[in-house]
Amino acid sequence: MNQANHQHIANFIWGTANLLRDDFKRAKYPDVILPLTVLRRLDCALEKTKSDVLNKYEQYKGRLDDMDGILKQASGYSFYNTSPYDFKKLLDDPKNIGNNLRLYINAYSPTMREIIEKFKFSTQIDALEEVNLTYQVIEQFSTIDLHPDRVSNLAMGYVFEELIRKFNEASNENPGEHFTPREIIRLMVNLLFAPDLDTLKKQSIIKTIYDPACGSGGMLTEAKEWILESVNKTAQVEMFGQEVNPETFAVAKSDLLIKGENADNIKYGSTLSHDQLFGEKFDYMLSNPPYGKEWKKDQKEIESEAERGFEGRFGAGLPRISDGQLLFLQTMLAKMKPSNGGSRIAIVMNGSPLFTGDAGSGESEIRRWIIENDWLETIIALPNQLFYNTGIHTYIWVLTNRKKDHHKGKVKLINAVDLYEKMRKSLGDKRNIISDAQIQEITELTLDGEKSKLVKVYPNEFFGYRKITIERPLRLSLTLGESNIEVAKPFTEEGMASSVRKAVLFSIKADFKAERSYFIFKKLIGNLYLSKAEFTKAIESAGIKEGFFTTYTSKEHKEVENIADFMFKNFGVKNDKAEVYLNTDDTQMPDTDLRDYENVPLGVDINEYFKREVLPHVPDAWISEDKKYCDHKDGQIGKVGYEISFTRYFYEYKPLRPLDEIGGEIKKLEQEIANMLTDL
């Protein structure tokens, strides 16, 4: 079926929703229309063998406990229906059409009935009955032929996804979670399989494909069709996937049953919290996980699995809870085959996984794990306005654990942002499309396009850096006086509590009386001290002058230093003109407000970088050797991080226009305005 035909069918079914307009909210339309579309599809598929199934059912009813195999054989599919009703016969009894519809649905084989139950359609039948719409809706659907011979499974996938897009767009929900434009899927499929054509051409070869967020199964179906139609009709391609949305899961699984596929390979539930294919390995994987969707609902299970390290899927780290894209990617990487040819992965994501997260963050650690294992092969920057619900830029990541020899240790970046054509008519936010020729061009660039200006190839370590912490010394001054009442007040007899006084100016034996110690500070009010040493000398001088010291030894000096140290720590103020504040062990105390960071490219000596890039600007700075700023893996100074700044790598400087040219344009505009005013 071509694009026009599938669009015609989708429009017809969408038009059926008009029957619901006055009695159902827009958000409820898909709850009625999608299950009826599936049921009509099944009804059409079973139409030719309906009588054979009913004959076999009557023949063996009461004689065999399990007729499942016989009835499947009679239907020609892996499912059947033992009800005498079909969509057209339901119309023969308008008064009882609701009850008969329930009987019809309940007569499906157990596997198919479980799938249909995901729609929770029984509630919608009640709603249709209440407003007397059941007959009209069934009548409308009975006029459309959705038999697999007329509407292929691939085309039916287009129909389902177009309906889902329309419904979600109409109710202001997020269609991007379910619907990936077909040209993007074709591009991803090309990128997956193009390097493996020789292998895929082998007679009766068996390959597996997996999608952790499979939606209605469009990516899996497109991938299989590509292999069978373009490369090898004898290939055996097994499809696997998991989907959290019950409606799209039901659509995917029912269509696979119609096609005779092993629908048990499609699992229901959250891949992130309950991976029902845990431990399985696949040859090829592709996915379009939801962008910017938080994983809070799955948080407990995900964090528990992360604690198991690489025994689970999330040993590399966890991204911030607001975006789970990298969790899906880690799931796919955990399912790579370690041998037997390894695996290839294609995943489309927004820009966040490229650069979000500083060194040491979950996102950076995941990128580090991927790149240091040499799994990242290619990233393609796509044009914007390709998706129906967003105009943002997206990127296809291609990953593999079996890189070609010439590509090992390297990552290829392809800037395809200008490879698109404008659509004649926009669909939501989708205004651009990638043509077949452009898909082929991008595919060829991934295979052998190093000389193109759209391609850049970098060694793995190019994306890494070591984040070092730059400290500058704390400079404190101290003033005791009326000019700073908050500092002066504690040193007056009235404002200084005895507990504070004892802590600050404790007695030196019996000669230094705590109750009279504030007197020294009153003598120092009004003075500015630019160093702790200067203040220490002032205390000593005042104490000796007032006779508080009968003797003055090194011990007393040390205690006075401690007093000065306490005062500067608690009451000193930052002052660029003050001397560097020294700890009691004569080490410089860093000023946290002046703390800065430098990202040193991997392979560059941090000390040489520091001398060249930092010291000329801040001569008093130093590199912190505090362990909390060291890397948790190699223990070296500075935390290792990885980021991919795509835009920066392809940035082309455009010189500013000459001032006389700009000035000439301004004068021209001024003259035009003056002429307009004259005319007025």
Side-chain angles (χ1 to χ4, degrees):
M1 169 170 282
N2 60 35
Q3 182 81 5
N5 286 337
H6 102 255
Q7 191 70 51
H8 173 76
I9 293 173
N11 289 340
F12 177 86
I13 296 173
W14 172 252
T16 304
N18 287 329
L19 295 171
L20 311 176
R21 177 171 295 172
D22 297 327
D23 300 291
F24 285 77
K25 294 181 179 179
R26 281 182 175 271
K28 292 295 182 182
Y29 288 6
D31 297 343
V32 176
I33 300 301
L34 287 180
L36 282 173
T37 303
V38 171
L39 287 169
R40 179 56 181 159
R41 170 82 159 163
L42 300 176
D43 193 61
C44 292
L46 296 176
E47 183 178 8
K48 292 180 181 179
T49 59
K50 182 79 171 180
S51 59
D52 293 339
V53 170
L54 293 179
N55 289 336
K56 291 291 183 182
Y57 179 71
E58 291 298 326
Q59 180 181 351
Y60 291 101
K61 185 172 63 174
R63 298 172 56 190
L64 289 178
D65 293 333
D66 184 3
M67 294 184 283
D68 192 64
I70 293 173
L71 296 179
K72 284 180 179 177
Q73 185 177 13
S75 75
Y77 293 96
S78 57
F79 61 96
Y80 50 86
N81 187 295
T82 58
S83 166
Y85 295 107
D86 56 25
F87 267 54
K88 292 180 180 178
K89 289 182 179 179
L90 284 169
L91 300 174
D92 294 339
D93 188 2
K95 291 184 178 179
N96 296 305
I97 192 169
N99 288 330
N100 292 340
L101 178 58
R102 287 190 178 89
L103 292 173
Y104 168 72
I105 292 172
N106 290 333
Y108 271 101
S109 49
T111 301
M112 185 58 77
R113 194 165 61 248
E114 288 176 10
I115 294 171
I116 296 171
E117 286 173 357
K118 294 296 182 186
F119 288 110
K120 300 178 181 178
F121 189 48
S122 178
T123 303
Q124 304 310 320
I125 295 176
D126 291 339
L128 288 169
E129 286 286 273
E130 187 175 340
V131 294
N132 296 316
L133 281 178
T134 312
Y135 184 91
Q136 294 181 58
V137 172
I138 295 296
E139 182 182 39
Q140 190 90 337
F141 268 95
S142 67
T143 63
I144 187 169
D145 185 1
L146 299 179
H147 192 283
D149 290 344
R150 169 167 166 71
V151 185
S152 70
N153 287 76
L154 185 61
M156 199 66 212
Y158 289 164
V159 171
F160 281 130
E161 293 190 346
E162 178 68 6
L163 287 173
I164 291 168
R165 183 190 70 79
K166 283 177 174 287
F167 285 131
N168 285 338
E169 191 175 75
S171 57
N172 293 319
E173 292 186 8
N174 184 6
E177 291 186 14
H178 309 292
F179 190 74
T180 308
R182 286 290 159 162
E183 77 269 19
I184 295 180
I185 298 178
R186 288 196 297 272
L187 173 57
M188 294 173 70
V189 168
N190 273 26
L191 298 174
L192 267 186
F193 299 137
D196 293 352
L197 292 183
D198 292 340
T199 301
L200 292 173
K201 288 178 181 178
K202 293 180 180 178
Q203 189 74 12
S204 301
I205 192 170
I206 300 173
K207 290 295 180 182
T208 54
I209 308 173
Y210 168 71
D211 183 349
C214 67
S216 58
M219 283 194 170
L220 294 172
T221 302
E222 189 84 34
K224 180 168 182 174
E225 292 291 332
W226 193 93
I227 293 175
L228 296 180
E229 294 182 3
S230 304
V231 184
N232 185 357
K233 292 182 179 180
T234 70
Q236 181 178 334
V237 182
E238 296 289 334
M239 297 181 287
F240 296 80
Q242 187 163 337
E243 173 56 31
V244 69
N245 181 280
E247 290 81 13
T248 48
F249 163 78
V251 168
K253 195 159 185 174
S254 61
D255 223 45
L256 288 181
L257 279 173
I258 291 173
K259 199 173 182 181
E261 300 285 352
N262 185 356
D264 289 338
N265 292 341
I266 305 299
K267 307 296 183 181
Y268 173 67
S270 170
T271 299
L272 299 183
S273 59
H274 297 95
D275 180 8
Q276 297 189 45
L277 292 165
F278 188 86
E280 296 288 337
K281 307 294 180 182
F282 305 102
D283 298 298
Y284 299 100
M285 292 169 264
L286 71 172
S287 190
N288 174 24
Y291 308 150
K293 184 177 180 181
E294 68 174 25
W295 44 276
K296 195 170 185 178
K297 287 194 301 184
D298 301 321
Q299 184 176 2
K300 182 179 178 182
E301 292 84 1
I302 289 172
E303 290 179 346
S304 176
E305 186 172 341
E307 290 175 359
R308 293 161 49 196
F310 289 105
E311 291 182 6
R313 294 169 288 166
F314 310 123
L318 298 178
R320 61 201 62 200
I321 203 164
S322 60
D323 191 353
Q325 292 176 88
L326 287 172
L327 295 175
F328 283 97
L329 178 53
Q330 287 183 91
T331 295
M332 298 167 82
L333 290 168
K335 298 182 185 299
M336 290 193 301
K337 289 186 172 181
S339 55
N340 297 326
S343 303
R344 286 181 63 79
I345 294 170
I347 183 171
V348 58
M349 299 185 285
N350 65 14
S352 178
L354 291 171
F355 51 77
T356 298
D358 203 356
S361 68
E363 292 90 349
S364 178
E365 285 298 298
I366 295 168
R367 291 190 291 267
R368 177 181 186 178
W369 172 63
I370 292 170
I371 294 174
E372 289 184 352
N373 276 288
D374 200 19
W375 293 331
L376 183 57
E377 180 178 279
T378 307
I379 297 179
I380 300 100
L382 299 175
N384 64 355
Q385 298 181 330
L386 289 179
F387 285 80
Y388 301 94
N389 67 314
T390 177
I392 64 172
H393 285 288
T394 50
Y395 302 79
I396 296 175
W397 294 40
V398 181
L399 307 97
T400 182
N401 57 354
R402 53 180 174 85
K403 283 185 179 182
K404 305 293 185 183
D405 288 342
H406 72 280
H407 205 154
K408 287 180 179 178
K410 302 174 184 176
V411 176
K412 177 181 288 188
L413 305 178
I414 299 175
N415 185 25
V417 295
D418 295 324
L419 297 180
Y420 66 89
E421 294 180 359
K422 282 289 181 184
M423 297 174 63
R424 285 177 292 180
K425 182 180 179 181
S426 300
L427 289 173
D429 288 321
K430 182 174 176 61
R431 297 176 176 85
N432 299 326
I433 190 170
I434 303 176
S435 68
D436 289 341
Q438 289 163 338
I439 289 174
Q440 185 60 35
E441 181 179 354
I442 295 171
T443 303
E444 290 174 358
L445 289 174
T446 65
L447 294 173
D448 186 22
E450 282 81 356
K451 295 181 180 180
S452 170
K453 66 178 182 179
L454 301 179
V455 176
K456 293 186 183 295
V457 180
Y458 295 108
N460 289 343
E461 70 172 13
F462 174 81
F463 305 101
Y465 61 90
R466 194 173 288 275
K467 181 182 177 182
I468 59 173
T469 304
I470 306 298
E471 302 283 22
R472 294 183 63 190
L474 180 64
R475 298 175 183 272
L476 295 177
S477 65
L478 181 66
T479 302
L480 300 181
E482 300 300 334
S483 62
N484 190 337
I485 191 65
E486 291 188 4
V487 173
K489 184 177 179 181
F491 311 115
T492 65
E493 187 173 11
E494 298 80 12
M496 191 172 188
S498 62
S499 59
V500 176
R501 194 162 63 240
K502 288 178 181 178
V504 179
L505 300 172
F506 50 86
S507 63
I508 302 177
K509 297 184 180 179
D511 299 317
F512 200 173
K513 301 296 184 182
E515 63 272 15
R516 297 175 56 202
S517 56
Y518 75 92
F519 185 73
I520 291 178
F521 290 93
K522 292 183 71 173
K523 294 288 184 180
L524 304 180
I525 284 177
N527 296 331
L528 169 66
Y529 300 98
L530 296 177
S531 72
K532 188 169 61 174
E534 184 182 4
F535 185 52
T536 299
K537 289 181 180 179
I539 296 174
E540 291 172 344
S541 298
I544 293 172
K545 184 176 181 181
E546 297 299 327
F548 289 142
F549 300 112
T550 55
T551 59
Y552 193 70
T553 64
S554 59
K555 181 179 180 181
E556 279 94 20
H557 176 71
K558 186 63 177 176
E559 290 175 336
V560 172
E561 278 189 327
N562 290 337
I563 293 170
D565 186 63
F566 182 93
M567 296 294 293
F568 261 75
K569 277 185 179 177
N570 290 275
F571 305 110
V573 295
K574 293 182 181 180
N575 187 334
D576 292 341
K577 296 179 180 179
E579 293 185 18
V580 173
Y581 176 79
L582 298 176
N583 291 306
T584 53
D585 60 358
D586 289 335
T587 58
Q588 295 185 99
M589 178 175 285
D591 186 339
T592 55
D593 290 338
L594 297 178
R595 181 173 293 151
D596 203 355
Y597 304 93
E598 289 284 333
N599 292 340
V600 183
L602 289 184
V604 174
D605 183 88
I606 62 172
N607 292 307
E608 291 298 323
Y609 179 93
F610 177 73
K611 291 177 183 177
R612 183 178 68 252
E613 302 292 339
V614 179
L615 281 182
H617 308 287
V618 280
D620 59 355
W622 73 92
I623 301 174
S624 175
E625 297 184 10
D626 193 316
K627 288 185 178 180
K628 65 183 177 182
Y629 301 125
C630 294
D631 189 69
H632 69 103
K633 286 186 177 179
D634 61 25
Q636 296 182 30
I637 296 173
K639 292 182 178 180
V640 173
Y642 279 82
E643 67 176 12
I644 303 171
S645 301
F646 215 101
T647 305
R648 188 172 73 227
Y649 308 145
F650 286 93
Y651 173 75
E652 292 184 6
Y653 172 74
K654 294 181 179 179
L656 298 175
R657 292 188 298 159
L659 290 177
D660 55 350
E661 180 181 333
I662 298 173
E665 290 184 4
I666 293 174
K667 289 180 180 179
K668 183 179 178 181
L669 288 171
E670 289 175 342
Q671 186 60 48
E672 290 177 357
I673 293 170
N675 293 338
M676 292 171 64
L677 292 173
T678 301
D679 293 339
L680 290 174

